[in-house]
Amino acid sequence: MTKPLEGVRILDLTHMLSGPYAGMILADLGADSVKVEPLKGEGTRSLLAKDPNNSYGGQGAYFLTLNRNKKSVCIDLKSEAGLQVFYDLVKDADIVLDNFSAGVPAKLKIDFDHLSKINPRIITCSVTGFGQAGPNFQRPAFDQVVQGIGGGMSITGHDQDHPARAGIPIGDLGGGMFAVMGVLSALHAREKRGYGQHVDISMLDCQISMLNYMATMYFLSGDDPKPIGNSHFVHVPYDAFPTSDGFVIIAVIFDSFWDNLVALLDIAELRDEKYKTQPGRFADKDKINGILKELLVTNTTAHWVDLLSSARIPCAPVNKFSEALSDPQVLFRNMVVDIPQSDGGAVKAPGNPIKLSVDSEEAFTTPPGLGQHTREVLRALGYSESQVEELMAQGVIG
């Protein structure tokens, strides 16, 4: 069995989260991913590496997760000799992926303008906070910065006085996901045109895109939406309700779900005719939610999920990680996988969410040691052993 991106070579210059996440997904799909690191290693190699609870074999959770299925080559890109080695790699590559600050690739002479002269088919992709141009494109950006600027934080949480970022770093991960889409689009375009292009991913752009219909609502109404916790600005009931041992989500989107809920719970106050349609329910949102809260807290989450599910009412528990990562559906979909380690052990991590009917084989390799594949990759390019030894002695590669 082959993987869909087998034969596609990526030079992965990324660090931290947004770029490595994109590289991880592409590598999971079969791309030959060569992680090009500075001689001291990429920054996340040391992150949590000495934390006894969040590391394995001297590698922290970040690096263990994001760098499976990759090879590691160490090159000093700031030296002329190192740059020439990198250019040799580019001749045989399809994609160069980075998440340096805007302007850094051009300064290092590894941007699209430079690399396309070496390999006209090369596709470069940069994930930055704000893109490659604009009035504020060079300001530093991390996950919470773009979450804040992008507007999403203003509607996250329970009130306007306590804005909250998403618990999952969607600023970083959103950039990584859109980078994958951009790279695959550029690969498809290259098949038709015969030449590559640059993919410019701004984390802020991604956040604005994900505002989606709520942004359109703002443009239509002129009203800034406000945070409403886990409830909804249209549907009722739609919230996370306390139970005797946790929380249960009820999401009544259609009137038919409401009919099922009323029949199941058999509460007289909920049989009011005006509640049969959304406007009537929304007008009495607090009253309906109050009635449900009084009832649902009297039994367990599992009890209510089983009961509501039997009536085809959309519902769910609010799972802790321990519950989500042991959910039978999650396990059936192979979304918890073992990443083998060099000592024969394994570390569990989230699997690949992209499931294909033909290219369905899933396999994962050990995150690489620093410079583990430098010799192998350069020898495959035609470098002699003596050339490799000389470059190592000069501190050009490692």
Side-chain angles (χ1 to χ4, degrees):
M1 294 289 290
T2 61
K3 291 188 177 183
L5 294 184
E6 187 170 305
V8 174
R9 170 161 284 197
I10 299 175
L11 301 180
D12 184 344
L13 295 162
T14 65
H15 60 287
M16 295 307 290
L17 182 51
S18 60
Y21 184 66
M24 181 200 79
I25 294 175
L26 293 167
D28 283 354
L29 292 172
D32 179 12
S33 183
V34 177
K35 186 175 181 67
V36 179
E37 303 185 65
L39 300 187
K40 65 180 181 180
E42 188 250 294
T44 55
R45 279 192 178 275
S46 59
L47 196 58
L48 299 176
K50 296 182 179 180
D51 184 329
N53 296 319
N54 293 293
S55 65
Y56 186 100
Q59 293 182 334
Y62 279 76
F63 196 86
L64 287 168
T65 306
L66 294 162
N67 293 287
R68 64 200 191 197
N69 294 331
K70 299 180 183 180
K71 299 173 183 176
S72 173
V73 170
C74 290
I75 305 175
D76 178 10
L77 293 176
K78 295 180 179 179
S79 71
E80 189 60 35
L83 196 57
Q84 292 305 315
V85 172
F86 182 73
Y87 287 164
D88 286 339
L89 289 170
V90 169
K91 292 174 186 176
D92 194 40
D94 296 287
I95 299 156
V96 175
L97 179 65
D98 81 84
N99 62 322
F100 294 127
S101 297
V104 170
K107 188 180 296 184
L108 292 174
K109 300 180 181 179
I110 57 171
D111 59 324
F112 180 75
D113 286 346
H114 282 90
L115 301 187
S116 61
K117 292 181 176 67
I118 298 167
N119 178 355
R121 289 175 57 81
I122 199 70
I123 292 164
T124 60
C125 176
S126 295
V127 183
T128 59
F130 305 103
Q132 300 299 311
N136 298 306
F137 79 103
Q138 287 186 314
R139 64 187 297 183
F142 293 95
D143 175 77
Q144 188 162 331
V145 172
V146 296
Q147 283 199 42
I149 296 175
M153 275 185 65
S154 74
I155 57 169
T156 305
H158 290 274
D159 61 71
Q160 290 176 285
D161 296 327
H162 302 88
R165 69 173 178 86
I168 295 171
I170 61 170
D172 279 324
L173 298 179
M177 287 189 286
F178 279 98
V180 171
M181 296 179 219
V183 163
L184 295 180
S185 298
L187 278 171
H188 180 69
R190 192 181 71 176
E191 289 304 302
K192 295 184 291 182
R193 299 171 184 154
Y195 55 85
Q197 61 184 298
H198 180 61
V199 180
D200 173 11
I201 300 295
S202 154
M203 291 161 62
L204 177 59
D205 290 355
C206 300
Q207 294 301 292
I208 295 297
S209 174
M210 290 191 285
L211 295 181
N212 203 263
Y213 67 88
M214 297 193 73
T216 305
M217 291 171 63
Y218 161 75
F219 287 126
L220 291 170
S221 69
D223 296 329
D224 279 315
K226 297 177 174 58
I228 52 175
N230 297 311
S231 65
H232 201 277
F233 53 88
V234 175
H235 305 300
V236 177
Y238 189 109
D239 212 330
F241 297 92
T243 66
S244 64
D245 64 351
F247 295 87
V248 61
I249 293 168
I250 298 177
V252 171
I253 304 295
F254 302 124
D255 294 336
S256 58
F257 293 148
W258 173 257
D259 294 338
N260 292 348
L261 183 67
V262 170
L264 178 71
L265 300 182
D266 194 24
I267 298 174
E269 287 180 277
L270 299 182
R271 293 187 181 278
D272 193 313
E273 282 296 311
K274 69 180 181 181
Y275 294 161
K276 281 188 165 292
T277 59
Q278 180 273 336
R281 294 195 297 274
F282 193 79
D284 271 1
K285 177 179 179 178
D286 291 341
K287 179 179 178 181
I288 292 172
N289 284 347
I291 292 170
L292 291 176
K293 285 178 181 178
E294 287 186 13
L295 173 64
L296 296 170
V297 79
T298 63
N299 217 316
T300 65
T301 297
H303 169 82
W304 292 119
V305 168
D306 288 345
L307 197 63
L308 293 162
S309 296
S310 69
R312 300 289 297 169
I313 297 164
C315 64
V318 177
N319 279 338
K320 300 179 179 69
F321 275 39
S322 56
E323 295 162 329
L325 295 172
S326 61
D327 183 280
Q329 183 68 19
V330 171
L331 299 179
F332 179 84
R333 297 278 297 175
N334 201 34
M335 281 310 299
V336 174
V337 298
D338 289 324
I339 309 300
Q341 302 300 306
S342 56
D343 66 353
V347 172
K348 290 189 180 300
N352 177 13
I354 300 172
K355 309 297 183 184
L356 301 171
S357 62
V358 176
D359 300 294
S360 58
E361 181 185 15
E362 294 188 338
F364 304 93
T365 63
T366 306
L370 180 59
Q372 179 181 341
H373 302 93
T374 300
R375 291 177 183 274
E376 171 191 327
V377 170
L378 294 188
R379 288 302 302 275
L381 281 180
Y383 281 61
S384 67
E385 186 63 31
S386 61
Q387 285 177 301
V388 171
E389 288 294 342
E390 184 177 351
L391 288 169
M392 285 195 169
Q394 294 172 355
V396 173
I397 62 174

